Amino acid sequence: MIQTNSGLRSLVQSLRPITSSLSEIAAYSCYTSQAASALQQVSRPDSYSEDEYAKVDWDNLRFGITPADYMYTMKCSSDGKFEQGQLAPYGNVELSPSAAVLNYGQGLYEGTKAYRTEDGRLLLFRLDQNATRMKMGADRLCMACPSIYQIIDAVKQTALANKRWTPPRGKGTLYIRPLLMGSGPILGLAPAPEYTFLIYASPVGNYFKEGLKPLNLYVEDEFHRATRGGAGGVKSITNYAPVLKAMARAKSRGFSDVLYLDSANKKNLEEVSSCNIFLVKGNIISSPATSGTILPGVTRRSIIEIALDHGYQVEERAIPLDELMDADEVFCTGTAVGVAPVGTITYQDRRVEYNVGEESVSQKLYSILEGIKTGVIEDKKGWTIEIQ
């Protein structure tokens, strides 16, 4: 039995304010068909380097900022319409000291990646999901937002312009960061009069310093990542600085990251600082329902769909802490982290170890997902986009 009622209800509720996005998704589906292949032909700046790869030590690549050549910028004014964007060399942006993003945190971001195949092709993964989530977040924060079509096209242009910064297969990925911010000046608390959408990119390796080794998480019962009625379910920039205190404290004690509990009762799992969490017990895979305080991750959704395809029972529901301590296996998912196995979790004075290794469920699901992303496994779901 697949328990997805609570997650489905929350998804339906979150989509109601932005029903126009559904028509955009349909339009994008048409755009990806053979009948609308024109958008695949992305214009490129005349000054592109002809080098196949940038001069990077791919064998020692970490998750950090190594700016790729180009960034993409697009603006809109009070009419809410975004003008034609353009690529330009990576560099600083100019903002008014009274910009809404600086004063009131009116900003959103997304994260996606470009993957290089064995034969050198460039693939992007489920961009429609990222674009839809940005539209949902913009609605929550009262921001004008580019259309799904514009977001996808902008990411494609940015990825293609920075192709030489995409690592060889198996060495890393090109992390792509779309950012939407209230760039217009405002003094009183109100939506910004102008918005800027920009994208930059950087080649990255593994997110955690442990690399592919299992993580050691600490359950946080003092600080909280999100509260009911807040913005925990969207990628608001304001969700992330508040977790730094708990992260720093945990890392000073030797832990990889922090797992947060619900703020209301402090008994149900929420998510890790920047990724979703899954539990495995027998043939059942469980993940906390995305009911407003938990981000609906693209990798999370993909892992759920792959697990269902391969015969696992999947439950999206409230998960009490006791179940975590009794699980066979635990793993995290996210665009930045990929699929990361958890070796141990510590709560107060209790430490629990979990199954890891080549035969683990997380490793099997990870192999399938990465195979699709990199073209090793045939993409039967239409998740990937090849750009040329």
Side-chain angles (χ1 to χ4, degrees):
M1 177 179 180
I2 303 169
Q3 300 180 7
T4 58
N5 289 342
S6 61
L8 182 59
R9 283 197 300 270
S10 63
L11 178 61
V12 171
Q13 291 171 353
S14 65
L15 287 175
R16 283 174 180 165
I18 54 163
T19 52
S20 61
S21 292
L22 297 178
S23 61
E24 290 187 49
I25 296 172
Y28 175 67
S29 297
C30 294
Y31 134 71
T32 55
S33 70
Q34 293 182 349
S37 60
L39 191 56
Q40 296 281 357
Q41 306 302 319
V42 179
S43 60
R44 300 177 60 174
D46 295 334
S47 58
Y48 273 6
S49 170
E50 295 301 323
D51 296 339
E52 183 178 3
Y53 288 105
K55 295 180 179 179
V56 175
D57 183 0
W58 302 117
D59 292 324
N60 294 292
L61 192 60
R62 296 184 176 274
F63 196 96
I65 184 67
T66 304
D69 294 325
Y70 297 97
M71 58 189 288
Y72 182 98
T73 306
M74 180 165 46
K75 291 188 176 183
C76 89
S77 298
S78 56
D79 61 1
K81 295 181 180 179
F82 279 81
E83 62 189 30
Q84 179 66 39
Q86 61 183 3
L87 290 163
Y90 178 90
N92 294 338
V93 297
E94 183 176 315
L95 280 176
S96 166
S98 58
V101 67
L102 298 180
N103 290 264
Y104 300 116
Q106 196 184 27
L108 289 164
Y109 81 87
E110 277 296 327
T112 188
K113 288 179 176 179
Y115 302 83
R116 196 184 288 269
T117 65
E118 191 67 46
D119 58 3
R121 293 176 295 120
L122 212 60
L123 300 180
L124 299 172
F125 185 73
R126 303 197 79 173
L127 288 184
D128 59 321
Q129 299 295 302
N130 294 99
T132 300
R133 189 169 63 182
M134 176 164 273
K135 292 280 288 184
M136 293 172 62
D139 180 79
R140 175 65 180 83
L141 300 185
C142 298
M143 303 173 71
C145 185
S147 68
I148 289 176
Y149 175 95
Q150 286 177 310
I151 294 171
I152 292 174
D153 182 43
V155 172
K156 291 177 64 177
Q157 289 193 47
T158 306
L160 186 58
N162 295 301
K163 182 176 181 178
R164 74 191 191 100
W165 292 90
T166 306
R169 179 174 171 267
K171 302 292 185 180
T173 55
L174 182 69
Y175 185 85
I176 302 170
R177 170 63 60 84
L179 177 65
L180 179 64
M181 59 183 174
S183 52
I186 195 84
L187 185 59
L189 181 57
E194 177 188 277
Y195 295 91
T196 298
F197 174 77
L198 62 85
I199 306 175
Y200 63 91
S202 173
V204 297
N206 290 312
Y207 181 79
F208 291 105
K209 68 177 183 179
E210 290 86 350
L212 297 177
K213 295 179 180 178
L215 306 178
N216 301 307
L217 301 182
Y218 177 79
V219 178
E220 177 61 57
D221 58 5
E222 179 183 356
F223 298 108
H224 299 287
R225 179 192 169 275
T227 58
R228 293 179 182 177
V234 299
K235 285 190 76 71
S236 169
I237 62 173
T238 57
N239 289 340
Y240 295 90
V243 307
L244 297 178
K245 181 92 172 174
M247 282 180 61
R249 186 168 67 177
K251 290 186 176 184
S252 71
R253 298 173 181 174
F255 297 102
S256 309
D257 209 332
V258 175
L259 172 60
Y260 296 90
L261 302 177
D262 73 290
S263 61
N265 302 307
K266 296 187 178 182
K267 70 174 186 178
N268 292 326
L269 307 185
E270 292 265 292
E271 59 180 290
V272 183
S273 301
S274 59
C275 48
N276 297 118
I277 193 162
F278 284 84
L279 280 63
V280 180
K281 187 70 174 179
N283 194 54
I284 301 175
I285 300 176
S286 304
S287 187
T290 54
S291 54
T293 58
I294 298 172
L295 188 72
V298 176
T299 307
R300 173 186 180 276
R301 175 50 49 191
S302 303
I303 285 293
I304 288 174
E305 293 182 35
I306 291 172
L308 290 171
D309 289 344
H310 287 77
Y312 291 97
Q313 178 179 333
V314 178
E315 298 178 351
E316 297 180 76
R317 56 178 174 81
I319 301 177
L321 182 59
D322 290 345
E323 287 191 35
L324 172 71
M325 310 309 277
D326 189 47
D328 298 331
E329 186 180 335
V330 176
F331 61 93
C332 300
T333 64
T335 297
V337 308
V339 179
V342 176
T344 69
I345 290 182
T346 300
Y347 175 60
Q348 295 179 347
D349 58 352
R350 184 182 176 189
R351 183 173 180 267
V352 178
E353 295 186 0
Y354 300 97
N355 298 334
V356 295
E358 292 298 321
E359 297 304 314
S360 65
V361 173
S362 66
Q363 181 60 41
K364 294 175 182 177
L365 297 176
Y366 165 79
S367 297
I368 297 169
L369 180 61
E370 288 302 302
I372 295 173
K373 289 179 177 179
T374 57
V376 175
I377 296 176
E378 182 184 358
D379 176 19
K380 298 180 179 180
K381 293 179 175 291
W383 285 351
T384 58
I385 300 174
E386 180 180 348
I387 55 175
Q388 304 174 10

